[in-house]
Amino acid sequence: MPDTLTVVERRSFPRGGTADRFDLAGRSVFVAGHAGMVGRALVRRLSAEPCRLLTVDRGTLDLRRPDAVRAWMDAHRPDVVIVAAARVGGILANATEPVDFLADNLAIANAVIPAAHAAGTRKLLYLGSSCIYPRDAPQPISEAALLTGPLEPTNQWYALAKIAGVKLCEAYRRQFGFDAITAMPTNLYGPGDRFDPERGHVLPALMAKAHRAKRDGTGCLEVWGTGTPRREFLHVDDLADGLVHLLTRYSGPEPVNIGTGTDIAIAELAELICETVGFRGRIGYRSDRPDGTPRKRLDTFRMRSLGWQPRIDLADGIAQTYAWYRDHVAMDEDSLHPTG
Ligand code: GDP
């Protein structure tokens, strides 16, 4: 072979090592973090499966405490564990509470993964995030980009903890043959999100701000940064469906991205939200707030080759999420603002 020849690997993805089809029938499935947005979606989705759901309230079990988690796992011996518990928040929350984002997420991984293994769990699914990839990763971001460059500084704390969790799963598989798999969801939204203008992610934050601006007759919706960064948004019910698909059809050390493969600029997202909410005022861009990573679109080749794709269109998902927000969050708030 001449030295000038560069041989490139052909693209393929193993369809699962030990178990091509992992059957959930009759199994006990522990959803760690069942009260969060992802956990709630998983509980909804898993209720359609012939499995037995296990959950535990935060007041009863602190998922950051290894001894307590170990005792709980030993007592309940779940067949399957899904780690949907995490401390999450938007770009500002991440930047201002670095200890919480790093320490809590490390502690959850370090308590739940070893305890599940010790209790004889057959399969574990750990959730990472698209922010674990390098800030300047080539787009769309493939799973192979992990640890190939520096992280985006605004969410490095959360990202580092999630990388440690992903690697802990890989290490348990390598050292003990534990069937721990990892999924990397893109930016999520949906019912049960944190509709907090300061600490939430962009989609629920803008929804809450647009709703209030319309109600209060404020002329301007405040959007952070320049509006030019691009993000990919996946409805949490699509994620839950994708996770169940992955759980039943995949076993292997490589992480698997879960996204739509399509991104939009934050400015376009703001327009879409204004349309849904019916806010007709102006949009103002706040330059003292960070843009974060310029682009974050996942390569979804692996998930597609496993036979899965999302179903919920972004405009429909936003409309459905806004209806949920109005019924579950805004109603109480609006009653305190009778002018609306
Ligand atoms: P990220 O994907 O980790 O950066 O998380 P976010 O969802 O918090 O932010 C996504 C993008 O939306 C960033 O470029 C933010 O600057 C931008 N953005 C615009 N307005 C807002 C807002 O009101 N809240 C948040 N969290 N982000 C906003």
Side-chain angles (χ1 to χ4, degrees):
M1 225 187 285
D3 313 343
T4 49
L5 190 68
T6 307
V7 178
V8 293
E9 234 178 275
R10 287 181 57 203
R11 212 160 182 220
S12 66
F13 178 56
R15 290 197 170 217
T18 54
D20 267 354
R21 186 79 196 227
F22 180 83
D23 198 356
L24 288 177
R27 305 226 197 239
S28 54
V29 181
F30 172 42
V31 177
H34 73 288
M37 173 173 70
V38 173
R40 284 202 241 175
L42 273 167
V43 168
R44 285 194 294 275
R45 175 61 186 80
L46 285 167
S47 65
E49 294 292 322
C51 60
R52 190 163 57 85
L53 262 176
L54 287 173
T55 58
V56 58
D57 290 336
R58 191 184 286 234
T60 309
L61 179 65
D62 183 340
L63 291 168
R64 296 168 299 185
R65 292 185 48 217
D67 292 348
V69 176
R70 178 76 195 264
W72 191 91
M73 289 276 195
D74 284 346
H76 294 86
R77 302 208 163 262
D79 296 317
V80 178
V81 171
I82 306 180
V83 190
R87 177 177 285 271
V88 294
I91 195 164
L92 190 70
N94 258 274
T96 51
E97 296 156 20
V99 173
D100 297 346
F101 280 85
L102 180 55
D104 283 355
N105 289 309
L106 275 176
I108 291 168
N110 200 39
V112 179
I113 298 165
H117 173 250
T121 292
R122 294 279 307 273
K123 187 148 195 165
L124 178 139
L125 169 55
Y126 179 79
L127 269 81
S129 158
S130 61
C131 74
I132 69 169
Y133 294 115
R135 175 190 159 91
D136 297 318
Q139 307 285 317
I141 310 173
S142 103
E143 291 87 349
L146 186 61
L147 294 171
T148 56
L151 297 169
E152 155 62 30
T154 49
N155 51 30
Q156 59 180 313
W157 321 101
Y158 177 79
L160 266 172
K162 284 292 179 183
I163 292 171
V166 167
K167 285 291 172 186
L168 192 58
C169 288
E170 195 184 323
Y172 264 95
R173 175 178 291 275
R174 184 178 295 196
Q175 192 171 337
F176 301 114
F178 184 31
D179 192 1
I181 60 172
T182 58
M184 305 304 125
T186 194
N187 287 34
L188 302 168
Y189 73 98
D193 210 341
R194 193 172 176 186
F195 295 87
D196 178 335
E198 283 293 306
R199 317 211 81 67
H201 285 105
V202 60
L203 197 152
L206 290 185
M207 193 172 273
K209 287 197 277 191
H211 179 85
R212 290 178 194 180
K214 182 185 172 195
R215 179 194 66 202
D216 302 339
T218 316
C220 189
L221 169 69
E222 186 189 278
V223 177
W224 297 352
T226 57
T228 57
R230 300 183 71 85
R231 295 288 185 275
E232 176 187 11
F233 296 96
L234 180 71
H235 192 285
V236 72
D237 286 337
D238 267 339
L239 173 73
D241 189 59
L243 291 174
V244 170
H245 190 91
L246 198 63
L247 195 60
T248 53
R249 288 172 179 81
Y250 175 63
S251 170
E254 295 101 345
V256 181
N257 289 341
I258 307 188
T260 62
T262 311
D263 61 1
I264 76 168
I266 296 301
E268 287 175 72
L269 176 75
E271 292 290 351
L272 199 51
I273 288 174
C274 288
E275 229 170 82
T276 308
V277 171
F279 171 71
R280 299 193 206 298
R282 285 169 302 128
I283 293 178
Y285 290 92
R286 222 181 125 166
S287 59
D288 63 333
R289 289 284 158 96
D291 264 346
T293 194
R295 211 167 170 192
K296 199 165 42 166
R297 181 165 69 96
L298 291 180
D299 180 338
T300 55
F301 170 81
R302 285 186 177 174
M303 206 52 192
R304 279 185 282 117
S305 69
L306 287 168
W308 184 87
Q309 55 185 21
R311 277 181 282 218
I312 305 172
D313 163 80
L314 183 59
D316 293 345
I318 289 178
Q320 182 254 20
T321 303
Y322 183 53
W324 188 92
Y325 165 76
R326 270 202 326 236
D327 292 349
H328 294 85
V329 183
M331 216 144 74
D332 293 343
E333 240 180 61
D334 293 351
S335 62
L336 303 171
H337 295 262
T339 52

